[in-house]
């Protein structure tokens, strides 16, 4: 029978009860608990010795063997799970953003915010959770992927799934009829995470939307221009924007004879044409979704049409049968007007591929729909990837699982391929909200785009690793170093203060008598550009020596520049530019 | 008996079931449901007419009256609750950040990030929720204020309550032994919200912490310097930093004779001395918490001591009895060293008040503790406040409840008073985490500060309103306006593109033939500095007229400047500076 060590009964488990703070006051915990782990180790060793002795004496050691096995099993569970019963980890599907990663994301956001502000965007933020009923039902089959908050006696809430529904709720709630807004924030989906593909449960979205009644296709054209501007500024590589129009799709379905109740199901089948051949998609339509084969074939005559320039548009505009369907005709007129703006006013039509197979899942689109696709980029050579792996967490680092998996767990060989942004026009969402909540509202038409900043991050991170450049984790420009036995801590602190007051980013070691090598090492590790050297002799002269790091020098070349302490701020400001 | 309108049975309720998207596809909803609201109105009107006719004919109208009352009651419930059963609102204790507010918060964050980076801070971000067991138990009596996620079959998670515990988890998880990090993010507490005092359930915290083993008091001094730098740069007004040391408090309690199991309770009583007189606090200690009166009196001899400069320190250092207690002696030595750094190296000792009544609730502090208090600022004169209320949500605006309550619902007469930042040293949190999870770790001592950015926001917002300046909600620098019947939409779009490509923030109206007055109104409302006027005659000459808005001009003064379209980018860049 399993004999548990009596020590095991006194657990370090941290209970959920509010008064349980014993664990944080070690002087109050019985000594035996604190040493549970150590005692298990000792007991195992004891048993090992005893078993050895018994076997030498050819005596029965089975009882001791059993106890030892049980303790070892417990110990390995503890090592995994800890005496308190939990692991130090982030929840499934989430990650910490370590400094280099967080800094890169901040730069991406800054680039996007600059572009949005250029176009008159106003920034908003909304709560991370909404009333459950506001989110429920808006996402079709995705509704089961919503995180709910526990019912703790108040309103039932859920974590936001995107930034579009909060925006529509904001507009309806405040009676706003026109607004250009951007919103960069995290959203939450209880997917099966696929960390190697960057599919997480918590991730950033970055949305720009124009709400309001305007002349047709003008804001639509500007949204597409903004998307192109953003992907270009972010330097994600070659990309194409697939474009279609719900009214044209609806028209094709009507012409083909798709029953109204199958529209959504057939749309989602069509949408798979970017990954599956027509034969498979047709099979899904007919076999799985019960569509008549003749109807499927008629759809097939259209959904293969795609291409840059105006050819596909011309083909569809010349299609007499299609033009008998009102919605198709309206959609085509929209596209023609849009193309004129994109080509003649904005000069960006060459980025657009008019693509009949783009259907997109969401129900609420009513006009144009689009998706930006980046061309695949070659994965980094395995040797470079391993050599480049930075110390992402400071002193600790998870080993990469394979040559192409980075330390966020993303397999970079798939990073450059696929969808990086998407959006469309959705004219009815706001007033449906308002009506459902009982307030009459005029329509507030909206068009917008959501940029997948996590994909952008993955592409830029992959490129940086391929260049084998270690990313900076901080922005310090001057490291203040002391030579000599004194340590000169007060002098270093005073100089730091002088530099901070002038807006210069400066650090020094928090040690009264720091070793010279360790200081040089810190300045090098942190890639700090300038070192300001304080030493007794120079201090008496009222000077400090400034050396620039990270540039090639001939052997025996200069040892830095002596600068008067009165001038050191101006000197450094000039050098830093 | 209540007779429900048969129309009521067909509800617009949006169920939680994932396949319910009918509400978003109006062409598929039975017409009667779509017109539920309108039909109730009609039916009520019908009944009113009928009742009138019956009464004129002196006939019994009671049935009709009853039905009408029921319909009206349902209608007012619908207006509040909506046919779908929900209100358009954010969850209790949360708010949207509308553009002016969001922009002001962004500026606050940018100021703080600049200061943190100056001191070598690295930025991280962590998931908004952690494993429930990681958060549970760390907050003493606050544990019941934690938001839990529903158990949906996976790990049990809770929303983070602060940024300190995630930081300690991050350090323990990654085996990091030294780090200077900042983290600006939202945290979640299921308090009773007091929106008029800015106490919300979702709010930003802004933390800077230094983790690692260094020489005593050096990082502590720098943290306090950073706090002072930050509050000064944010221009929150006059402030003082109350400072104390847990070891001194522990020493006072030991000397006074406080039993070990009452330490925390007595600490939290002492902490109330900033709001309650000693008599009340002593009563709480003795009556509520069962402390011996003599012990309370001995405490009372110390906790009234407070003041700037070195007097209090000198008094305590001269106290022979207190110096027989080891922890008190160590604490006093720490303070003495800290004061030397703050005075001689950093020149900021004048901001510090050494205050024996500062105790702070959290259990995990082990060294210095501090709290920054802003002096009260006078609330704005009621007339100015009403006049200044901006259109916060664009076209809709909630009416202020009183002269001093702003549109976030915060009563500004209390805004300037009280705590705006707090922190301390906590040396054991990281390794307690690690041990509880079963991995042995050396101590990772930490010291940090948390800045209450919501309080900073409230103070700055109050000041802005008192100045009656309407805040800008966007950053547009140039509004492109057309005169004449043509509308010149393509020309406006082309000029916009030219300006965007040069990084200039520009807008135009999305209308083919916009009215002149409406364009001028938009430029004025958005406080756009420059208007670029396109008109047929000027276009033929290849010029555009640039006018600067918002500056006083003598009557009949200049009508703007004609600028060639080839030069307009350079011209505007020069003017914008």
């Amino acid at each position: 029978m399993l004999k548990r060590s009596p020590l095991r009964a006194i657990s370090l488990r941290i209970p959920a009860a509010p008064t349980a703070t014993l664990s944080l006051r070690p002087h109050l915990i019985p000594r035996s608990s604190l040493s549970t782990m150590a005692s298990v180790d000792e007991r195992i060793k004891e048993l090992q010795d005893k078993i050895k002795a018994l076997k030498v004496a050819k005596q029965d050691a089975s009882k001791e063997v059993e106890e030892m096995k049980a303790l070892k099993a417990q110990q390995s569970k503890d090592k995994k799970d800890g005496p308190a019963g939990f692991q130090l980890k982030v929840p499934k599907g989430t990650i910490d953003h370590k400094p280099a990663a967080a800094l890169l994301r901040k730069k991406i956001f800054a680039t996007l915010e600059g572009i949005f502000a250029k176009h008159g965007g106003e920034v908003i933020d909304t709560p991370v959770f909404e009333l459950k009923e506001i989110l429920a039902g808006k996402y079709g089959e995705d509704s089961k992927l919503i995180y709910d908050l526990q019912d703790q006696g108040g309103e039932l809430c859920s974590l936001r799934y995107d930034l579009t529904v909060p925006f529509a709720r904001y507009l309806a709630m405040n009676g706003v009829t026109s607004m250009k807004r951007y919103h960069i924030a995290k959203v939450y989906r209880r997917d099966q995470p696929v960390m190697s593909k960057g599919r997480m449960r918590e991730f950033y979205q970055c949305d720009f939307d124009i709400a309001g009644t305007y002349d047709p296709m003008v804001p639509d054209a500007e949204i597409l221009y903004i998307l192109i501007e953003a992907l270009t500024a972010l330097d994600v590589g070659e990309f194409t924007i697939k474009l279609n129009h719900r009214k044209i799709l609806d028209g094709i379905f009507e012409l083909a004879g798709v029953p109204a109740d199958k529209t959504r199901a057939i749309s989602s089948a069509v949408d798979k044409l970017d990954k599956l051949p027509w034969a498979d998609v047709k099979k899904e339509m007919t076999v799985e979704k019960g569509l008549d084969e003749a109807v499927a074939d008629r759809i097939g005559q259209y959904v293969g049409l795609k291409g840059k320039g105006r050819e596909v548009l011309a083909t569809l505009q010349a299609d007499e049968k299609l033009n008998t369907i009102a919605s198709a005709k309206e959609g085509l007129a929209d596209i023609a007007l849009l193309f004129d703006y994109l080509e003649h006013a904005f000069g960006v039509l060459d980025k657009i591929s008019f693509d009949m197979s783009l259907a997109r899942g969401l129900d609420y689109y009513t006009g144009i729909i689009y998706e930006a696709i980046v061309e695949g980029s070659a994965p980094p050579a395995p040797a470079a990837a391993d050599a480049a792996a930075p110390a992402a967490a400071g002193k600790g680092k998870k080993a990469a699982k394979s040559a192409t998996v980075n330390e966020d767990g993303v397999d970079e060989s798939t990073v450059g391929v696929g969808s990086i942004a998407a959006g469309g026009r959705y004219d009815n969402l706001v007033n449906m909200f308002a009506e459902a909540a009982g307030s009459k509202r005029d329509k507030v038409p909206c068009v917008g785009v959501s940029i997948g900043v996590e994909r952008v991050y993955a592409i830029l991170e992959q490129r940086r690793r391929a260049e084998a450049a270690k990313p900076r984790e901080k922005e310090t420009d001057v490291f203040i170093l002391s030579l000599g036995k004194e340590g000169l801590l007060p002098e270093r602190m005073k100089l730091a203060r002088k530099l901070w007051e002038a807006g210069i980013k400066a650090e020094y070691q928090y040690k009264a008598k720091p070793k010279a090598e360790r200081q040089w090492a810190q300045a090098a590790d942190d890639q700090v550009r300038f070192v300001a050297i304080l030493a007794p002799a120079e201090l008496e002269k009222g000077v400090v020596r400034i050396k620039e790091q990270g540039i090639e020098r001939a052997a025996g070349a200069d040892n830095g520049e002596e600068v008067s302490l009165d001038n050191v701020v101006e000197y450094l400001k000039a050098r830093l530019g």
Side-chain angles (χ1 to χ4, degrees), chain A:
Chain A
M1 193 55 213
L2 185 66
K3 178 164 181 278
R4 284 173 168 242
S5 160
L7 293 167
R8 190 72 189 84
I10 306 165
S11 161
L12 270 176
R13 179 175 297 277
I14 298 174
T19 55
T21 54
L22 279 182
S23 52
L24 301 176
R25 297 163 78 191
H27 53 287
L28 295 178
I29 299 174
R31 185 162 169 66
S32 49
S33 287
L34 277 170
S35 50
T36 292
M37 294 283 285
S39 300
V40 167
D41 281 337
E42 282 166 20
R43 178 65 181 153
I44 287 175
K45 202 171 179 327
E46 238 173 45
L47 287 166
Q48 279 167 335
D49 294 342
K50 192 161 185 197
I51 289 163
K52 197 166 170 184
L54 286 168
K55 292 198 161 172
V56 159
K58 293 198 193 326
Q59 288 178 3
D60 176 26
S62 52
K63 214 175 68 166
E64 285 79 2
V65 166
E66 212 175 84
E67 184 187 342
M68 186 180 73
K69 280 187 190 169
L71 283 179
K72 279 191 167 182
Q74 184 64 42
Q75 197 183 45
S76 91
K77 182 182 183 300
D78 282 348
K79 279 205 177 71
K80 178 169 187 277
D81 219 34
F86 69 80
Q87 298 182 55
L88 282 175
K89 64 188 282 291
V90 286
K92 178 176 177 180
T94 69
I95 52 170
D96 289 320
H97 296 166
K98 295 166 184 160
L103 213 51
L104 179 51
R105 275 186 182 82
K106 274 178 41 136
K107 289 188 177 140
I108 292 169
F109 299 152
T111 299
L112 290 170
E113 286 167 346
I115 290 171
F116 296 153
K118 250 199 311 186
H119 291 260
E122 305 177 338
V123 60
I124 68 167
D125 197 11
T126 62
V128 83
F129 46 79
E130 300 267 348
L131 296 182
K132 187 182 160 111
E133 58 258 28
I134 283 179
L135 297 181
K138 304 295 177 304
Y139 304 104
E141 55 214 19
D142 281 344
S143 282
K144 50 182 160 346
L145 298 183
I146 295 176
Y147 276 97
D148 293 322
L149 295 195
Q150 196 179 343
D151 183 352
Q152 289 172 282
E155 303 157 323
L156 292 182
C157 299
S158 304
L159 298 183
R160 66 187 172 211
Y161 182 93
D162 66 9
L163 301 176
T164 305
V165 167
F167 180 49
R169 189 269 305 145
Y170 175 99
L171 294 172
M173 178 173 148
N174 293 297
V176 174
T177 54
S178 77
M179 186 178 199
K180 268 191 280 199
R181 83 92 183 75
Y182 66 92
H183 190 184
I184 301 178
K186 287 179 175 173
V187 300
Y188 299 86
R189 301 184 186 182
R190 280 191 91 245
D191 278 298
Q192 266 322 303
V194 185
M195 303 306 280
S196 66
K197 293 199 185 310
R199 188 200 292 177
M200 298 184 289
R201 289 183 160 181
E202 173 191 65
F203 57 97
Y204 271 103
Q205 272 196 337
C206 168
D207 284 23
F208 188 96
D209 292 69
I210 299 175
T213 301
Y214 307 105
D215 281 359
M217 306 318 287
V218 189
D220 308 55
E222 189 162 335
I223 285 273
L224 286 167
Y225 180 90
I226 289 169
L227 172 57
I228 291 163
E229 207 179 353
L231 296 180
T232 306
L234 291 171
D235 198 22
V236 293
E238 291 300 312
F239 62 89
T240 299
I241 300 182
K242 304 201 299 191
L243 179 88
N244 202 351
H245 197 304
R246 270 230 83 85
K247 286 182 174 174
I248 299 174
L249 268 174
D250 287 348
I252 289 170
F253 288 173
E254 194 183 321
L255 180 67
V258 177
D261 61 336
K262 287 201 193 315
T263 306
R264 218 168 135 262
I266 300 305
S267 272
S268 89
V270 166
D271 203 42
K272 296 181 185 176
L273 279 170
D274 60 343
K275 297 186 173 62
L276 300 174
W278 169 244
D280 291 1
V281 170
K282 174 177 167 179
K283 189 169 166 193
E284 178 175 327
M285 287 183 187
T286 51
V287 174
E288 278 181 47
K289 298 181 173 174
L291 195 67
D292 208 51
E293 188 168 343
V295 174
D297 284 336
R298 282 194 283 270
I299 292 174
Q301 289 171 347
Y302 288 98
V303 294
L305 290 170
K306 72 176 84 155
K308 288 195 174 179
R310 294 179 180 259
E311 258 198 67
V312 173
L313 176 61
T315 301
L316 293 170
Q317 280 173 321
D319 184 321
E320 281 178 17
K321 278 200 262 174
L322 188 60
N323 279 275
T324 64
I325 312 287
S327 72
K329 209 166 168 195
E330 286 163 24
L332 288 169
D334 275 354
I335 295 289
L337 183 55
L338 176 70
F339 278 18
D340 284 344
Y341 290 140
L342 290 177
E343 182 172 10
H344 304 308
F346 288 153
V348 292
L349 185 58
D350 58 311
K351 292 289 191 207
I352 309 289
S353 169
F354 191 18
D355 188 332
M356 284 303 106
S357 72
L358 178 69
R360 299 214 34 79
L362 287 158
D363 227 10
Y364 49 62
Y365 290 125
T366 55
I368 53 168
I369 49 180
Y370 34 84
E371 194 175 328
I373 311 289
V374 278
E375 321 292 312
S377 38
D386 289 327
K395 306 290 170 287
K397 181 173 85 66
K398 289 206 197 80
K401 293 195 175 65
S402 81
T404 54
V405 175
N406 68 22
E407 56 278 324
D408 289 334
V410 176
D411 179 357
E412 291 177 344
S413 59
T414 62
V415 147
V417 186
S419 171
I420 200 171
R425 172 164 284 287
Y426 52 104
D427 284 349
N428 295 323
L429 189 60
V430 176
N431 69 316
M432 275 175 206
F433 256 117
E435 281 181 16
S439 41
K440 289 218 155 294
R441 291 253 189 271
D442 291 334
K443 234 164 70 156
V444 180
C446 297
V447 63
V449 65
S450 188
I451 296 176
V453 287
E454 301 293 350
R455 303 246 27 241
V456 173
Y457 167 81
I459 289 171
L460 298 181
E461 172 63 12
Q462 175 188 42
R463 187 181 303 154
R464 186 200 57 68
R465 278 156 57 80
E467 289 160 14
K470 180 186 171 208
R472 284 203 79 186
E473 290 170 337
K474 51 175 71 172
E475 301 168 54
T476 311
D477 286 322
V478 181
F479 182 85
I480 301 169
L481 182 149
S482 64
L483 297 179
K485 290 184 312 209
E486 301 294 318
L488 300 174
L489 177 60
E491 289 79 3
R492 284 183 283 134
M493 291 170 86
K494 281 184 191 147
L495 178 56
R497 179 198 175 187
K498 206 173 160 111
L499 299 182
W500 295 330
E501 281 179 352
I504 297 172
K505 306 183 191 67
E507 291 187 76
Y508 58 96
Q509 281 193 354
Y510 299 138
K511 231 170 144 46
K513 296 180 200 282
K515 290 196 188 343
E517 318 86 69
R518 293 235 180 104
Q519 296 179 83
W520 284 112
Q522 179 173 331
D525 281 349
D526 290 342
Q527 300 176 54
V528 184
R529 190 171 160 208
F530 288 105
V531 178
I533 306 162
L534 295 176
E538 277 87 340
L539 269 182
E540 257 176 72
K541 290 194 289 175
V543 300
V544 58
R545 182 177 296 280
I546 308 288
K547 278 190 83 170
E548 188 173 356
Q549 304 286 93
I551 53 179
E552 298 280 332
R553 279 200 181 82
D558 86 305
N559 209 15
E561 204 169 324
E562 261 189 22
V563 178
S564 143
L565 276 162
D566 293 329
N567 285 345
V568 69
V569 166
E570 296 77 53
Y571 175 85
L572 284 167
K573 285 188 124 168
R575 293 292 308 269
L576 289 164

